[in-house]
Amino acid sequence: LMIVPTSEEINYKKLPSNVVLPSQKEMIDYIYSKIKFNTVNVYDTINKNNDKYQMYYYLDHHWTTYAAYYAYLEYAKNNDIQPLDITDFDVELVTKDFNGTLYSKTNDYSRNSDSIYVFNRKNNLKVEYVYEDKVTDTMYEYSYLDKKDKYSLFLDNNHPLIIITNNDIITNKEIIVIKDSYANSLIPFLVNHFKKVHVIDPRYYNLSITSYLKENPNIKDGLIIYNANGLDDSSILGLE
């Protein structure tokens, strides 16, 4: 389980002094204390590196690709995986003109637009959007850069089920990722270590996840990833 703090938690000092919010850290620590399987603490590394790189978009509620990279390092450390160094990726600036969900709520035209980076690495991929009957060789849908919702370039927005196969990797390991949209910019890091990454978004996947696991016995690893605010509605998990 990986629960990701949001910007309002990490950047709370930038909020007006009269704003009082419940502590996401306390909530995350409490949930982790009750969990009987492995948990991944990304709070500390995001907080620690918040001044080194921009961890959250200013005008959108998502974390940036740099935050996702540091979360990937923590996942790797907790699962005996040798992570790739940041220098192993071709870090590409794909837009300087991202005005996301927070911009839409405030319409504050005085704010500078956000930049989006992608971490490219050459892999022979097969990306299957199962229920859309769509197959491609990339995890990025660059057409979104010409639209308002530019974060959706990661994994072509949200889908019920995506299966990503890395044809270059020498392993038979498979993982299931049960997630919200925060995971979309994390999954491009995971594909470097698994033959197949099965991505399920319970907000759109209406079948039994338990049955899916039984039908795919090669899946031995699993990651549940949600941002802290997303856990407010427990029904989205859809787990039996």
Side-chain angles (χ1 to χ4, degrees):
L1 176 64
M2 180 189 293
I3 304 175
V4 182
T6 62
S7 181
E8 66 197 50
E9 171 75 11
I10 299 299
N11 294 308
Y12 72 93
K13 292 182 179 179
K14 297 181 180 180
L15 292 171
S17 59
N18 62 332
V19 174
V20 179
L21 296 172
S23 169
Q24 291 183 4
K25 186 178 190 307
E26 290 181 3
M27 181 196 74
I28 294 170
D29 289 344
Y30 175 78
I31 293 175
Y32 281 6
S33 72
K34 302 297 182 180
I35 294 296
K36 302 301 181 183
F37 51 88
N38 293 338
T39 58
V40 183
N41 172 23
V42 298
Y43 189 104
D44 293 340
T45 189
I46 290 175
N47 192 39
K48 176 182 177 182
N49 291 286
N50 194 36
D51 293 330
K52 183 177 181 180
Y53 293 107
Q54 183 181 338
M55 294 287 107
Y56 298 91
Y57 298 110
Y58 297 125
L59 303 182
D60 190 72
H61 68 283
H62 290 102
W63 60 357
T64 66
T65 322
Y66 284 96
Y69 173 74
Y70 279 102
Y72 151 71
L73 295 182
E74 287 300 312
Y75 175 83
K77 183 174 70 175
N78 281 267
N79 288 275
D80 296 322
I81 291 173
Q82 181 62 45
L84 296 172
D85 189 80
I86 197 169
T87 59
D88 293 322
F89 297 93
D90 176 16
V91 181
E92 178 186 6
L93 172 64
V94 294
T95 183
K96 295 181 179 180
D97 192 30
F98 178 34
N99 299 314
T101 54
L102 300 181
Y103 174 86
S104 298
K105 292 179 179 180
T106 62
N107 290 319
D108 187 350
Y109 300 104
S110 68
R111 301 296 179 179
N112 293 327
S113 300
D114 279 310
S115 296
I116 298 179
Y117 294 85
V118 297
F119 285 48
N120 290 308
R121 193 164 188 270
K122 190 173 182 180
N123 282 307
N124 179 11
L125 300 178
K126 179 182 179 183
V127 184
E128 301 175 75
Y129 298 92
V130 176
Y131 290 100
E132 290 79 7
D133 195 27
K134 173 183 174 181
V135 180
T136 182
D137 61 357
T138 178
M139 292 174 288
Y140 305 113
E141 180 50 68
Y142 287 97
S143 64
Y144 280 102
L145 296 178
D146 298 322
K147 303 176 183 178
K148 186 178 186 304
D149 186 17
K150 291 176 170 53
Y151 183 82
S152 292
L153 84 95
F154 298 102
L155 288 184
D156 191 21
N157 205 348
N158 297 307
H159 298 266
L161 174 63
I162 307 171
I163 302 175
I164 305 168
T165 304
N166 186 342
N167 292 306
D168 285 339
I169 198 167
I170 305 175
T171 181
N172 291 319
K173 293 177 61 177
E174 298 186 25
I175 185 174
I176 186 169
V177 179
I178 300 168
K179 59 88 180 182
D180 65 9
S181 57
Y182 267 58
N184 294 6
S185 53
L186 173 69
I187 288 169
F189 298 109
L190 298 182
V191 300
N192 295 287
H193 305 282
F194 294 92
K195 187 67 175 181
K196 285 188 177 182
V197 179
H198 304 253
V199 184
I200 287 183
D201 192 326
R203 295 172 296 178
Y204 309 101
Y205 187 79
N206 296 320
L207 301 177
S208 166
I209 297 176
T210 303
S211 297
Y212 186 86
L213 289 169
K214 291 178 180 178
E215 294 164 3
N216 293 271
N218 288 335
I219 298 175
K220 304 298 183 184
D221 291 271
L223 174 62
I224 301 172
I225 171 174
Y226 280 87
N227 78 81
N229 285 336
L231 288 179
D232 287 344
D233 180 7
S234 60
S235 64
I236 61 176
L237 287 175
L239 299 175
E240 295 180 0

